[in-house]
Amino acid sequence: MNVVVLLGAPGAGKGTQAPLLSDRLGIPVVATGDLFRAAVRDGTTLGMDARRYMDAGQLVPDEITVRLLLERLSRPDAGHGVILDGFPRTAVQAKALDDALVDRGERVSAAVLIDIHGDELVRRMSGRWICRTAGHPYHEVFSPPNVPGICDLDGSELYQRRDDQPDTIRLRMAQQLSALSDVIEHYRSSGVLHTVDGLLPIDGVAEAIDRELAAAGIRPAGEPSERAAG
Ligand code: ADP
Ligand code: ADP
């Protein structure tokens, strides 16, 4: 079973790459940001809790986030592997994921860091529009939809996230980047970290991710997968 973690600062391109990679590997995407936004929309207690943190640009506490993620991973469609977008975001979450996988005799197959610097992140988030149904991201300049305001993939309406306004973007970068470096270190020390240049165009990033995963012996679901030596 392949468990691929996509890592990167807010705006790096995780949500753009995740569905493309999902098509190629034949395993679903689990994005904690999307799960939280769905909970907010549904008005659940968890959603109301999470919203306070999201609006303040802060990480939602680990306990809430880990519970949500593990519940999602226990559903049948995640049984053959999963692409994680936006989880783990702290060392505590990374450890909780490792523990949950060990219980199933599994481990994180690869953690791919989409590497990109601050100025570009702000440009990306401030032009981002996502779709109501599945959170598919677009950008008004870099990746516009075919029909303005409509998702190419599922036809739903596009909107701008509340936390993608300049003030909250700055807060998110200030409050989330140091935890990201802890997560990067976690996977570097376990030997599964792969880094791709996030400044490439979208298809260039996708190709770089494919190269890294192929080198790690990760093949589409259904094909025999071999783990890289060492
Ligand atoms: P982005 O795509 O900009 O990185 P996400 O959609 O992944 O943002 O997440 C939106 C917000 O949801 C985050 O700013 C944070 O408040 C919350 N969130 C998402 N994933 C996590 C996580 N793993 N741990 C804590 N908070 C999270
Ligand atoms: P994340 O999920 O890491 O927060 P997204 O995938 O939502 O990031 O991308 C942030 C914004 O940047 C979106 O508007 C998206 O369309 C755009 N984008 C993503 N990848 C690229 C890229 N390689 N080049 C230019 N724009 C990109």
Side-chain angles (χ1 to χ4, degrees):
M1 151 166 156
N2 289 321
V3 177
V4 177
V5 170
L6 291 182
L7 298 177
K14 304 177 298 295
T16 298
Q17 296 298 328
L20 302 173
L21 189 58
S22 168
D23 282 349
R24 300 199 296 277
L25 293 182
I27 50 178
V29 177
V30 170
T32 39
D34 289 343
L35 296 176
F36 282 133
R37 278 183 290 277
V40 169
R41 191 184 53 219
D42 295 345
T44 65
T45 314
L46 184 143
M48 290 186 305
D49 278 351
R51 180 172 178 164
R52 284 189 293 137
Y53 297 97
M54 295 167 80
D55 284 351
Q58 292 171 355
L59 292 174
V60 178
D62 288 330
E63 201 225 311
I64 301 178
T65 308
V66 168
R67 193 161 20 101
L68 179 82
L69 189 272
L70 293 184
E71 192 276 317
R72 176 66 186 84
L73 287 190
S74 69
R75 294 203 220 139
D77 69 324
H80 301 291
V82 74
I83 296 162
L84 294 178
D85 162 7
F87 186 98
R89 262 169 148 110
T90 65
V92 169
Q93 293 177 15
K95 179 75 171 55
L97 175 64
D98 286 350
D99 291 348
L101 291 174
V102 164
D103 287 346
R104 302 167 195 202
E106 300 287 348
R107 50 171 287 195
V108 169
S109 322
V112 180
L113 170 64
I114 304 178
D115 196 20
I116 179 175
H117 60 75
D119 293 348
E120 182 66 14
L121 295 173
V122 176
R123 280 206 286 161
R124 290 200 182 173
M125 283 184 271
S126 49
R128 170 161 59 187
W129 291 73
I130 69 171
C131 81
R132 294 253 178 236
T133 308
H136 296 128
Y138 295 84
H139 190 282
E140 47 196 36
V141 179
F142 307 136
S143 176
N146 293 328
V147 178
I150 303 290
C151 179
D152 294 350
L153 299 175
D154 59 36
S156 69
E157 180 199 15
L158 304 183
Y159 72 100
Q160 284 190 296
R161 285 168 40 176
R162 292 163 56 91
D163 58 349
D164 274 348
Q165 14 169 337
D167 287 352
T168 321
I169 290 175
R170 275 192 291 276
L171 286 172
R172 282 153 70 202
M173 304 222 327
Q175 305 196 40
Q176 300 188 16
L177 290 183
S178 95
L180 172 65
S181 44
D182 297 342
V183 177
I184 293 170
E185 277 320 307
H186 179 94
Y187 291 117
R188 198 193 308 277
S189 64
S190 61
V192 295
L193 184 71
H194 301 263
T195 302
V196 300
D197 179 2
L199 289 175
L200 294 169
I202 291 171
D203 53 356
V205 176
E207 283 165 22
I209 292 175
D210 275 353
R211 274 197 301 278
E212 291 297 322
L213 294 185
I218 295 171
R219 308 260 178 277
E223 287 180 26
S225 106
E226 11 162 316
R227 293 222 159 105

